[in-house]
Amino acid sequence: MAKSLLIISRQAPWSGPSAREALDIALAGGAFDLPLGMLFLDDGVFQLAAAQQPDAVQQKNLAANLQALPMFGVEELFACGHSLARRGLDNDALSLPVEVLDNAALTALIARFDQVVTL
Amino acid sequence: MSTLTVGDRNIALDKDGFLVELQDWSREVAEALATRESIALTADHWEILELLRQFYQEYQLSPATRPLIKYTALKLGAEKGNSPHLNRLFNGTPAKLAAKLAGLPKPTNCI
Amino acid sequence: MTTLHVIAHSPFGDERLASCLRLLGPQDALLLCGDATYALQAGTEPFAALQAANLGERLFALAEDLQARALDSQLAKVVDYPAFVELTLHHDKVNSWL
């Protein structure tokens, strides 16, 4: 049985390579059928904002790419409720079907996976 | 780099035979690309190529093999969305070859 | 399963430490290295946050990084590199906050 990996993505989408790198790990792992989860934390929740238009800053559409995660077999998707609330994002208007977790649930989530990496 | 001639157009290909400019794609270009791979496109091929273009439209990336199978099964049913069917149509490397013929970028996470 | 969280970024103007303390489990430990050791600067907000988290024996800081920054460690247990390696082995996994 392959080890499960939780990828914590905590950087905003257009500021640097981190958000893209976290997604690439998830897509590559998913293509190999690894048991993966992905958690959006801190500024990482901005990746989930609806109706982003990254072509305005000459970037590839990370938000569209994120939609492919379930197709790549990555169906365990989570977001930090505290991070969303602090950033004024509405849990019901996100671009991905994530499960929103409180702090205690985040602790349990991290405990459940064999390995964790935070980008 | 090489060039594909379709009618009176010269179309640039990268070293792996993928389109350099994705907007160069047309059905005629797909036919010409398929000929280079010794494939005669049938209706079975076309429905997969159209599906791939739809996938790219939706997700802005080319699928690896697993997501291609999953997406095909979702849209066309399990009798089409399985690796024997897709391997038979696209010489055993469906994600790579079908993406090429559909005018998509080379899949990055391809096994 | 226990997790050793490792942070190397300064807590000033960065959320890693605050978020880590928010989701740290009761068996989890935290190791500060590099600029993250600035969290041990007494009288500061990050220092207060660490105090409030009350990690006791579960808070560690890398000796040479403290030394280089003229920090002392009333709050954290000071470890050298061999002890750091030991710590990673004592936990089921390590979460590096890159």
Side-chain angles (χ1 to χ4, degrees):
Chain A
M1 182 66 191
K3 284 193 172 182
S4 62
L5 170 66
L6 178 67
I7 301 155
I8 304 180
S9 184
R10 53 173 302 284
Q11 302 285 343
W14 319 119
S15 57
S18 278
R20 161 69 46 194
E21 284 167 357
L23 176 62
D24 281 344
I25 295 173
L27 293 177
F32 283 92
D33 225 12
L34 295 179
L36 291 181
M38 195 156 179
L39 164 66
F40 298 89
L41 179 72
D42 295 341
D43 275 351
V45 296
F46 280 130
Q47 297 172 39
L48 307 175
Q52 300 179 64
Q53 295 184 6
D55 44 336
V57 286
Q58 288 82 48
Q59 298 262 0
K60 277 189 73 179
N61 196 337
L62 184 84
N65 295 168
L66 285 168
Q67 304 302 315
L69 282 169
M71 279 301 142
F72 279 71
V74 185
E75 274 149 7
E76 289 212 89
L77 302 169
F78 309 93
C80 168
H82 175 92
S83 305
L84 287 165
R86 265 199 77 199
R87 287 162 181 79
L89 290 174
D90 179 355
N91 294 1
D92 298 322
L94 302 174
S95 66
L96 257 193
V98 290
E99 190 182 337
V100 177
L101 302 178
D102 64 17
N103 292 345
L106 289 176
T107 304
L109 178 73
I110 292 171
R112 177 159 69 83
F113 280 82
D114 295 319
Q115 288 171 325
V116 183
V117 62
T118 301
L119 288 166
Chain B
M1 291 280 281
S2 58
T3 304
L4 179 73
T5 306
V6 181
D8 54 1
R9 293 165 67 202
N10 286 323
I11 291 163
L13 303 178
D14 72 10
K15 63 177 170 46
D16 298 311
F18 285 76
L19 296 182
V20 174
E21 297 295 338
L22 301 189
Q23 60 267 33
D24 281 341
W25 190 86
S26 66
R27 290 179 72 94
E28 294 69 38
V29 169
E31 299 277 5
L33 288 168
T35 304
R36 280 166 53 102
E37 308 286 344
S38 314
I39 292 179
L41 293 179
T42 64
D44 279 345
H45 292 97
W46 276 112
E47 69 178 355
I48 302 300
L49 297 188
E50 274 151 21
L51 202 65
L52 265 169
R53 294 186 61 81
Q54 192 184 328
F55 187 102
Y56 189 75
Q57 194 70 32
E58 201 169 338
Y59 303 122
Q60 304 286 311
L61 52 80
S62 302
T65 306
R66 281 170 199 278
L68 172 60
I69 292 169
K70 191 167 174 178
Y71 193 74
T72 308
L74 192 75
K75 300 285 180 178
L76 302 177
E79 68 282 359
K80 303 276 176 70
N82 61 73
S83 50
H85 178 71
L86 294 171
N87 283 337
R88 191 167 54 245
L89 290 176
F90 296 101
N91 294 351
T93 57
K96 194 169 163 226
L97 187 50
K100 184 188 289 186
L101 302 187
L104 270 47
K106 193 175 169 185
T108 47
N109 297 311
C110 200
I111 332 177
Chain C
M1 292 217 297
T2 61
T3 305
L4 174 67
H5 293 267
V6 179
I7 301 184
H9 287 70
S10 166
F12 297 96
D14 180 278
E15 272 189 299
R16 287 175 178 82
L17 179 65
S19 293
C20 180
L21 292 177
R22 209 148 46 72
L23 48 75
L24 200 74
Q27 313 290 319
D28 294 349
L30 170 59
L31 179 116
L32 304 172
C33 59
D35 283 345
T37 55
Y38 284 127
L40 295 168
Q41 179 83 5
T44 63
E45 267 180 46
F47 185 82
L50 280 175
Q51 268 182 319
N54 195 19
L55 299 180
E57 296 289 294
R58 295 182 290 126
L59 178 62
F60 303 89
L62 204 57
E64 58 188 60
D65 289 329
L66 289 172
Q67 226 176 336
R69 291 166 181 76
L71 292 164
D72 61 18
S73 173
Q74 318 160 20
L75 218 50
K77 186 161 188 261
V78 181
V79 293
D80 56 12
Y81 270 106
F84 181 4
V85 173
E86 191 92 340
L87 267 179
T88 64
L89 298 174
H90 270 109
H91 293 82
D92 295 310
K93 58 182 174 279
V94 177
N95 180 21
S96 294
W97 291 66
L98 303 175

